[in-house]
Amino acid sequence: MTVRLPLFPLTSVLYPGLVLPLTVFEERYRRLVADLSALPADAPRRFGVVAIRDGSEIAPTHPGAGEGSGPGEGNGPPGGAAAGFGRDLGTALYPVGCVAEVASIRTHPDGRSDLLTSGTVRFRTRSIDATGPYLVAEVEELPEQRGDGAGALASAVARMFGAYQRRLAGAREHSLTTTPELSDDPSVLSYLVAAATVADTSVKQRLLQAPDTAARLADELALLRREVAVLGKLPSLPAVELTRQVPSPN
């Protein structure tokens, strides 16, 4: 069963259970916020967050951007639904994303809006409609399966994640003053570790679309072991805040 869901492409990956603040200023997403705000008070205000594989979050605004592009093409008119993405939306955007539930909307006098959202459930995109003011997709929700050995893997990942944090803090010559509170639930733990581990978008996306919790935890365990080994051999790394979330510039 599929449902229609507005899309909000980002250069980052959202996971179920994680909070995502957004600052909205582009016209296409102002339209999205306006449509969400117009919904009845008891209606869910949701959109889908998908990571961008080819393109950028902000549409091009230089003169002549998108000339000669047609509907649905990534280099369409500035401000169009697909502007800024690759010409083939099927490959420009990763196919698996996460539903974002809007907790609050604060609109400024200049038309910008601050949104506070949280990830709820994963989905797979089946098709994308770029004919409106913003992208809308037919999506299929992906239920989270536990998988074999998730409990034992969760315990191993929690221990290795602690070692990873300590090594990272040492490499930065910083004391570890804050640590994410790890859940006893293997699925929740797997998403928290995925969000807090420093990795490329492609790796973050791979963790999001793992077939089940056990597979995600196994991937994270191998990733953390490699990172701990690398950090042990490096004198310093660029400063990275594991738990800091900054609003996306959209």
Side-chain angles (χ1 to χ4, degrees):
M1 179 179 177
T2 63
V3 296
R4 285 178 64 82
L5 191 68
L7 287 187
F8 203 128
L10 297 172
T11 53
S12 56
V13 177
L14 176 63
Y15 297 101
L18 273 294
V19 174
L20 175 68
L22 291 167
T23 296
V24 174
F25 63 84
E26 281 195 85
E27 179 59 31
R28 51 184 166 180
Y29 301 123
R30 292 188 186 191
R31 296 283 299 274
L32 171 57
V33 170
D35 289 347
L36 292 175
S37 299
L39 292 173
D42 59 346
R45 296 179 294 179
R46 311 187 311 160
F47 54 84
V49 172
V50 289
I52 300 169
R53 181 159 41 192
D54 177 18
S56 63
E57 291 183 359
I58 302 172
T61 57
H62 58 276
E67 291 181 358
S69 298
E73 293 183 338
N75 293 323
F85 311 131
R87 288 186 173 274
D88 181 2
L89 288 174
T91 58
L93 307 178
Y94 283 101
V96 175
C98 182
V99 175
E101 191 87 25
V102 179
S104 66
I105 300 175
R106 179 189 176 196
T107 301
H108 299 276
D110 64 2
R112 292 180 300 112
S113 296
D114 294 329
L115 274 62
L116 184 63
T117 74
S118 59
T120 58
V121 64
R122 298 179 305 156
F123 64 84
R124 182 178 296 278
T125 302
R126 294 303 182 188
S127 63
I128 300 177
D129 179 5
T131 59
Y134 48 81
L135 299 178
V136 178
E138 287 285 339
V139 305
E140 177 184 16
E141 290 190 356
L142 296 177
E144 182 73 14
Q145 304 293 332
R146 186 179 177 92
D148 295 334
L153 283 165
S155 297
V157 167
R159 291 192 299 271
M160 188 57 61
F161 183 66
Y164 168 74
Q165 286 190 300
R166 291 189 294 273
R167 284 288 178 90
L168 186 59
R172 293 173 48 202
E173 299 179 352
H174 281 226
S175 61
L176 192 61
T177 57
T178 59
T179 59
E181 183 177 347
L182 299 181
S183 172
D184 293 332
D185 183 290
S187 176
V188 175
L189 172 70
S190 74
Y191 286 127
L192 177 58
V193 170
T197 301
V198 180
D200 292 337
T201 300
S202 60
V203 175
K204 298 269 193 178
Q205 180 67 29
R206 188 181 74 215
L207 295 175
L208 176 69
Q209 58 190 56
D212 53 48
T213 299
R216 184 177 306 108
L217 288 167
D219 196 348
E220 289 170 346
L221 185 58
L223 174 64
L224 290 171
R225 283 172 173 164
R226 290 195 301 269
E227 291 300 305
V228 167
V230 170
L231 288 170
K233 297 178 180 179
L234 295 179
S236 63
L237 287 177
V240 178
E241 293 296 336
L242 286 179
T243 59
R244 184 180 180 187
Q245 291 271 7
V246 295
S248 176
N250 278 286

